Amino acid sequence: MGLKNLLGVALAFALVASGPTPAQASAPVTPPGTPQAAGTQFLSAATVDLAWMPAATGTNPIAAYEVYARRPGWTYPDQLLTTTTSAWVFVPIGGLRPATTYQLYVRARDTSGLPGPASAPVTITTLPSDIVPGPPVATDATATTATVSWRPPAVAIERIAGYDLIVPSATPTQPIQIRTSMGPSTTSAQLTGLRPGTTYTFIVVARYTDGTPRSAPSTHGTVTTAPSVPPSPPSDLTVTTFTPTSATLSWTASAPGDFPISRYYTYVNGGALGVPNPGPDVRTVTFAVSPGSTYEVYVRAVDQAGIYSAPSETFTFTAPGQ
């Protein structure tokens, strides 16, 4: 082979060797794992509370859980009922028809939109609408009280033994709370001891006399109490007494808002002071200090409804050295 041909072969080899490197194969993307249904509660004519265990995370974080329903024997596409970020809590699922059998399942979807496998289905049959009371509705609400009422089920009153107003449990391991029980002819309840500016969720369960299952609940209803005027912040913070190891803090009383003052909470360097919280007629606390250390203290009042004032102005001092 001549010198010219040898140079041509060498040049071609060099061009091939210096060409682009083939792209490395990307790692496979793993979808989220399979959620596991943990149970249901309070099946009504149109709703049910469903809980599930969280799915294992795949390559990307889980963005949401999707709850679907299919009706056995139907050829229609499965229905997306709700999308939520919750797991291991009871999620109210609506959009169901009375006296209808459904298979509910859950799947996780990650932040890239990739769905994971569907959970095993949970089969439910919603109740006939005539045995289910209407949801509780607030007819009057103050800062700490509310009157709620509901529509009775469309059955003869002789079949009704009474009603329970229930706070649904949040998780599968938390017990339900029966707020009050009423007789068969009473379809309203007066609630007391509520917190101002707070939304509560309730359901009404009808109890029957003829062997009908007790689980005949309404759909969820909410009650929101009125906001309350909080106490004013304590004022005039000062240290009145020093010892080598303690300081005594005093302040001027807060003005009550809608409710009387219950006690004062004191804080030092961003945390609780660690001493008993004085009642409304005591406006001084003594606490331990270290010589030469600097302290930032403030006080808040709380009233008998559990409403806190804004913090007082922060008072800063340095304990004297020994």
Side-chain angles (χ1 to χ4, degrees):
M1 181 181 297
L3 179 59
K4 183 177 181 180
N5 288 337
L6 286 173
L7 290 174
V9 171
L11 179 61
F13 181 79
L15 290 173
V16 171
S18 64
T21 303
Q24 297 292 324
S26 59
V29 176
T30 303
T34 306
Q36 180 181 351
T40 61
Q41 69 174 2
F42 299 125
L43 177 68
S44 76
T47 63
V48 67
D49 292 354
L50 176 67
W52 56 88
M53 298 285 288
T57 303
T59 301
N60 298 305
I62 293 174
Y65 292 92
E66 299 170 340
V67 180
Y68 292 85
R70 69 168 66 100
R71 295 173 62 177
W74 281 52
T75 58
Y76 294 102
D78 295 351
Q79 179 184 0
L80 174 62
L81 297 177
T82 192
T83 299
T84 178
T85 58
S86 298
W88 192 242
V89 296
F90 281 109
V91 177
I93 307 299
L96 307 177
R97 296 174 60 86
T100 303
T101 297
Y102 292 92
Q103 291 179 333
L104 306 180
Y105 63 89
V106 185
R107 69 189 334 148
R109 191 176 295 274
D110 69 17
T111 53
S112 73
L114 182 66
S119 69
V122 176
T123 301
I124 62 168
T125 300
T126 53
L127 301 178
S129 59
D130 59 349
I131 71 168
V132 175
V137 177
T139 55
D140 182 32
T142 69
T144 58
T145 66
T147 300
V148 296
S149 60
W150 55 89
R151 172 182 48 79
V155 299
I157 193 172
E158 293 80 12
R159 290 184 58 191
I160 301 173
Y163 300 97
D164 293 331
L165 186 66
I166 290 176
V167 179
S169 56
T171 71
T173 57
Q174 179 183 358
I176 67 170
Q177 177 189 351
I178 299 178
R179 190 64 189 249
T180 187
S181 295
M182 315 299 291
S185 59
T186 303
T187 56
S188 65
Q190 177 71 25
L191 304 177
T192 60
L194 306 179
R195 288 182 58 83
T198 303
T199 297
Y200 294 85
T201 297
F202 299 102
I203 61 170
V204 177
V205 172
R207 292 179 275 111
Y208 292 98
T209 61
D210 58 1
T212 303
R214 184 175 181 274
S215 56
S218 68
T219 57
H220 294 71
T222 58
V223 175
T224 301
T225 53
S228 172
V229 175
S232 68
S235 58
D236 301 326
L237 264 68
T238 187
V239 172
T240 57
T241 305
F242 276 120
T243 74
T245 58
S246 69
T248 299
L249 180 72
S250 65
W251 60 89
T252 299
S254 298
D258 286 346
F259 301 94
I261 303 295
S262 173
R263 61 184 57 251
Y264 293 95
Y265 286 80
T266 48
Y267 303 84
V268 60
N269 296 339
L273 195 58
V275 297
N277 298 303
D281 298 325
V282 178
R283 293 177 295 279
T284 182
V285 294
T286 299
F287 57 99
V289 296
S290 298
S293 297
T294 298
Y295 297 88
E296 295 181 344
V297 293
Y298 63 90
V299 182
R300 298 180 71 179
V302 62
D303 65 22
Q304 292 179 359
I307 303 302
Y308 283 80
S309 73
S312 67
E313 291 188 0
T314 299
F315 181 75
T316 303
F317 69 94
T318 299
Q322 289 182 331

